[in-house]
Amino acid sequence: MVGKGAREDALSWRLAQSSSCAAVFAAPGNAGTASRGENWPIAATDGKSLLARAQAEKIDLVVLGPETAIAAGVGDRLRAAGLAVFGPDRSAGRLESSKVFAKRFMERHGIPTARARVVHSLASAERVLVDWNGACVVKADGLAAGKGVVIADNAAEALAVVRAWYAAGIPGGGSDVLLEQKLEGREVSVFAIFDGRTFAPLTSACDYKRAGDGDTGPNTGGMGAYSPPAGFPADYEAIVAREILEPVARGLATDGERYVGVLYCGLMWTARGPVVIEFNARFGDPETQVMMPRVQGDFAALLASAARGALEPDAASFTHEACVGVVLAGADYPRASAPVLGISGDVALGAGKTAFWGGSARRDDVVDADGGRVLTVTALGATVAAARGEAYAAVRELAARMGAGSALSYRSDIGALGDSVVSA
Ligand code: AMP
Ligand code: GLY
């Protein structure tokens, strides 16, 4: 398992419970992965060292967690050496690592997405924005760790963003910027597994991106999630398969791209149905933390079948139970992510509840966390409301035993559906 976040902790937790899996190693891993297998002190982007160690340990399946590993070509290098890798090569991974590539791909293959113009300079942005009406989403082309998207209310605000970016450097270090129409609707993250030829829908989740209750405050990597989503049309997964996933699979084949791994479709459910906001070439964080507790069957066999190019969609499935996950973050997250030292390392909870560590390391009985998103506390329940009650009970239980960790902050409305559920 390549990576070190709570997403990777949740994946390794589920892989370790798969009947086809003998052992799980993580590189570089975190306090959670260390509790169930060895952590290798190798960075997620260090393809050379990962290859050497994976060969030495005769690893059967490598799962790429973060987009940085994919964009660094770790998949290409390991696959070229004959290893089974779940995660796309760098080229197909451009569906995430280049927003311009993804936009052109969607336009070429008739995949619904927001209209956008690509600009290469401040002067061309000025020309495009002269007759722009309404809000404008300004997006940096490359990977920018969540800092490459600004929603501007009008053309003047958008131009100010573009001007600042061209003056100070575009987030992610690229040179192109997209100016995109703002979509209205509700967001949902839909996941599907591709084996290079075919695909199988996995499940989906709703993520809470803003720092504060009621979707206020700055954008974050995600403060919580629940799965499955509520308030979408009953047949929404079939609609997404038909309108998005099938044209994606055909488009990849037409373009000669072999995509092996999970495709994360960040969708806006608009009045005319699902529209793609973005693709990611990896699992979501915190979506994965609320999807893994719902898995039944042999998840390792599912990922291995995709890596082999012979997808076995029935190897694993998802229960109808709901799962809610609450992220506990450093007090100043996302403005600052100072380390949180000396948190109680005991995060074991009762049946149906699991806490996953973000970037962190064990030191005897305690854990030192990098800061930012420290833990995702999850609980299953018959309904989202029941799972939410259990998840917050678990948060209170952990806060009482956490010592330094009790200074962590979290949203209190994760999974509180209330008025946000529109019946479609
Ligand atoms: P991205 O990095 O593309 O996922 O964008 C981050 C967030 O910005 C998304 O999760 C949305 O909440 C928002 N966003 C991005 N593009 C759009 C759009 N065209 N319309 C409305 N919201 C958007
Ligand atoms: N949940 C947002 C992401 O993983 O990109």
Short mmCIF file of all heavy atoms in Angstrom, two decimals, residues 7 67 96 189 191 207-209 220-222 224 264 278 280 282-288 373, ligand 2:
data_model
loop_
_atom_site.label_atom_id
_atom_site.label_comp_id
_atom_site.label_asym_id
_atom_site.label_seq_id
_atom_site.Cartn_x
_atom_site.Cartn_y
_atom_site.Cartn_z
N ARG A 7 -6.82 7.54 4.08
CA ARG A 7 -7.29 6.73 2.95
C ARG A 7 -6.49 5.43 2.87
O ARG A 7 -7.05 4.34 2.75
CB ARG A 7 -7.13 7.55 1.66
CG ARG A 7 -7.21 6.73 0.38
CD ARG A 7 -6.92 7.60 -0.83
NE ARG A 7 -5.65 8.28 -0.75
CZ ARG A 7 -5.36 9.44 -1.35
NH1 ARG A 7 -6.26 10.04 -2.10
NH2 ARG A 7 -4.17 9.99 -1.23
N GLU A 67 -2.22 10.66 -5.60
CA GLU A 67 -2.02 11.10 -6.99
C GLU A 67 -0.56 11.43 -7.27
O GLU A 67 -0.11 11.32 -8.41
CB GLU A 67 -2.92 12.30 -7.30
CG GLU A 67 -2.64 13.60 -6.51
CD GLU A 67 -3.33 13.64 -5.15
OE1 GLU A 67 -3.73 12.57 -4.64
OE2 GLU A 67 -3.46 14.75 -4.59
N GLU A 96 -6.41 13.13 -13.93
CA GLU A 96 -6.36 13.94 -12.71
C GLU A 96 -5.27 15.01 -12.76
O GLU A 96 -5.51 16.14 -12.38
CB GLU A 96 -6.12 13.07 -11.46
CG GLU A 96 -5.86 13.95 -10.23
CD GLU A 96 -5.95 13.23 -8.90
OE1 GLU A 96 -6.04 11.99 -8.87
OE2 GLU A 96 -5.91 13.93 -7.87
N SER A 189 -19.36 11.93 -5.04
CA SER A 189 -18.14 11.28 -5.52
C SER A 189 -18.47 9.84 -5.88
O SER A 189 -18.86 9.06 -5.00
CB SER A 189 -17.07 11.28 -4.43
OG SER A 189 -16.88 12.57 -3.90
N PHE A 191 -17.28 6.17 -7.65
CA PHE A 191 -16.04 5.43 -7.89
C PHE A 191 -16.30 4.22 -8.78
O PHE A 191 -17.32 3.54 -8.63
CB PHE A 191 -15.43 4.98 -6.56
CG PHE A 191 -15.05 6.14 -5.68
CD1 PHE A 191 -16.01 6.76 -4.87
CD2 PHE A 191 -13.77 6.66 -5.70
CE1 PHE A 191 -15.69 7.86 -4.10
CE2 PHE A 191 -13.44 7.76 -4.92
CZ PHE A 191 -14.40 8.36 -4.11
N ASP A 207 -18.85 14.00 0.36
CA ASP A 207 -17.72 14.56 1.09
C ASP A 207 -18.10 15.96 1.57
O ASP A 207 -18.90 16.62 0.92
CB ASP A 207 -16.57 14.60 0.05
CG ASP A 207 -15.31 15.24 0.54
OD1 ASP A 207 -15.16 15.41 1.74
OD2 ASP A 207 -14.46 15.56 -0.32
N TYR A 208 -17.56 16.38 2.68
CA TYR A 208 -17.79 17.75 3.20
C TYR A 208 -16.47 18.50 3.09
O TYR A 208 -15.56 18.26 3.87
CB TYR A 208 -18.25 17.71 4.66
CG TYR A 208 -19.62 17.11 4.86
CD1 TYR A 208 -19.83 15.74 4.72
CD2 TYR A 208 -20.71 17.90 5.18
CE1 TYR A 208 -21.08 15.19 4.90
CE2 TYR A 208 -21.97 17.36 5.37
CZ TYR A 208 -22.15 16.00 5.23
OH TYR A 208 -23.40 15.46 5.42
N LYS A 209 -16.38 19.45 2.14
CA LYS A 209 -15.09 20.07 1.85
C LYS A 209 -14.78 21.30 2.70
O LYS A 209 -13.62 21.62 2.92
CB LYS A 209 -15.02 20.48 0.37
CG LYS A 209 -14.94 19.26 -0.56
CD LYS A 209 -14.05 19.54 -1.76
CE LYS A 209 -13.71 18.26 -2.51
NZ LYS A 209 -14.84 17.73 -3.28
N THR A 220 -11.09 22.55 2.49
CA THR A 220 -10.12 21.65 3.12
C THR A 220 -9.98 20.43 2.23
O THR A 220 -10.66 20.31 1.21
CB THR A 220 -10.62 21.17 4.49
OG1 THR A 220 -11.71 20.26 4.28
CG2 THR A 220 -11.09 22.32 5.36
N GLY A 221 -9.17 19.50 2.65
CA GLY A 221 -9.08 18.22 1.95
C GLY A 221 -10.32 17.36 2.15
O GLY A 221 -10.50 16.37 1.47
N GLY A 222 -11.20 17.76 3.08
CA GLY A 222 -12.41 16.98 3.37
C GLY A 222 -12.52 16.76 4.87
O GLY A 222 -11.60 16.24 5.49
N GLY A 224 -15.17 15.21 6.42
CA GLY A 224 -16.04 14.09 6.77
C GLY A 224 -16.74 13.60 5.52
O GLY A 224 -16.63 14.22 4.45
N TYR A 264 -12.20 8.14 -9.86
CA TYR A 264 -13.05 8.89 -8.93
C TYR A 264 -13.68 10.00 -9.75
O TYR A 264 -12.97 10.87 -10.26
CB TYR A 264 -12.14 9.39 -7.82
CG TYR A 264 -12.57 10.50 -6.90
CD1 TYR A 264 -11.94 10.63 -5.68
CD2 TYR A 264 -13.55 11.44 -7.21
CE1 TYR A 264 -12.25 11.66 -4.80
CE2 TYR A 264 -13.88 12.45 -6.32
CZ TYR A 264 -13.22 12.56 -5.14
OH TYR A 264 -13.52 13.57 -4.28
N GLU A 278 -14.59 17.08 -11.83
CA GLU A 278 -13.19 16.67 -11.98
C GLU A 278 -13.12 15.15 -11.93
O GLU A 278 -14.00 14.48 -11.39
CB GLU A 278 -12.33 17.23 -10.83
CG GLU A 278 -12.77 16.70 -9.48
CD GLU A 278 -11.75 16.86 -8.37
OE1 GLU A 278 -10.63 17.29 -8.64
OE2 GLU A 278 -12.09 16.51 -7.23
N ASN A 280 -10.46 12.11 -10.55
CA ASN A 280 -9.24 11.80 -9.82
C ASN A 280 -8.87 10.37 -10.18
O ASN A 280 -9.75 9.53 -10.42
CB ASN A 280 -9.42 11.95 -8.32
CG ASN A 280 -9.68 13.40 -7.93
OD1 ASN A 280 -8.94 14.29 -8.34
ND2 ASN A 280 -10.72 13.65 -7.18
N ARG A 282 -7.51 8.07 -8.37
CA ARG A 282 -7.20 7.39 -7.10
C ARG A 282 -8.47 7.39 -6.26
O ARG A 282 -9.46 8.01 -6.62
CB ARG A 282 -6.13 8.20 -6.38
CG ARG A 282 -6.55 9.69 -6.40
CD ARG A 282 -5.90 10.56 -5.42
NE ARG A 282 -6.34 11.93 -5.58
CZ ARG A 282 -7.42 12.45 -4.99
NH1 ARG A 282 -8.15 11.72 -4.17
NH2 ARG A 282 -7.77 13.71 -5.20
N PHE A 283 -8.40 6.73 -5.11
CA PHE A 283 -9.51 6.77 -4.17
C PHE A 283 -9.58 8.15 -3.51
O PHE A 283 -8.59 8.88 -3.47
CB PHE A 283 -9.32 5.71 -3.08
CG PHE A 283 -9.65 4.30 -3.52
CD1 PHE A 283 -8.65 3.41 -3.86
CD2 PHE A 283 -10.97 3.89 -3.60
CE1 PHE A 283 -8.95 2.11 -4.26
CE2 PHE A 283 -11.29 2.60 -3.99
CZ PHE A 283 -10.28 1.71 -4.33
N GLY A 284 -10.75 8.48 -2.97
CA GLY A 284 -10.93 9.77 -2.30
C GLY A 284 -10.58 9.69 -0.83
O GLY A 284 -10.62 8.63 -0.22
N ASP A 285 -10.27 10.83 -0.26
CA ASP A 285 -10.03 10.96 1.17
C ASP A 285 -10.84 12.15 1.63
O ASP A 285 -10.59 13.26 1.13
CB ASP A 285 -8.53 11.17 1.41
CG ASP A 285 -8.16 11.16 2.88
OD1 ASP A 285 -9.04 11.42 3.72
OD2 ASP A 285 -6.98 10.92 3.19
N PRO A 286 -11.86 12.00 2.43
CA PRO A 286 -12.20 10.90 3.33
C PRO A 286 -13.23 9.88 2.79
O PRO A 286 -13.67 9.04 3.58
CB PRO A 286 -12.78 11.62 4.54
CG PRO A 286 -13.47 12.82 3.96
CD PRO A 286 -12.66 13.22 2.76
N GLU A 287 -13.58 9.91 1.51
CA GLU A 287 -14.61 8.98 1.03
C GLU A 287 -14.23 7.52 1.29
O GLU A 287 -15.08 6.69 1.65
CB GLU A 287 -14.84 9.17 -0.47
CG GLU A 287 -15.55 10.46 -0.86
CD GLU A 287 -14.57 11.57 -1.23
OE1 GLU A 287 -13.45 11.60 -0.67
OE2 GLU A 287 -14.93 12.40 -2.09
N THR A 288 -12.95 7.19 1.09
CA THR A 288 -12.51 5.80 1.24
C THR A 288 -12.76 5.29 2.67
O THR A 288 -13.11 4.12 2.87
CB THR A 288 -11.01 5.69 0.90
OG1 THR A 288 -10.86 6.21 -0.42
CG2 THR A 288 -10.53 4.26 0.95
N ARG A 373 -5.26 16.75 8.87
CA ARG A 373 -6.32 15.80 9.22
C ARG A 373 -5.70 14.62 9.97
O ARG A 373 -4.96 13.83 9.40
CB ARG A 373 -7.04 15.36 7.95
CG ARG A 373 -7.79 16.55 7.31
CD ARG A 373 -8.56 16.16 6.09
NE ARG A 373 -7.70 15.75 5.00
CZ ARG A 373 -8.14 15.15 3.89
NH1 ARG A 373 -9.42 14.88 3.74
NH2 ARG A 373 -7.30 14.82 2.94
N1 GLY B 2 -12.33 14.05 -1.09
C1 GLY B 2 -11.61 14.81 -2.04
C2 GLY B 2 -10.46 14.11 -2.64
O1 GLY B 2 -10.09 13.02 -2.27
O2 GLY B 2 -9.91 14.67 -3.58
#
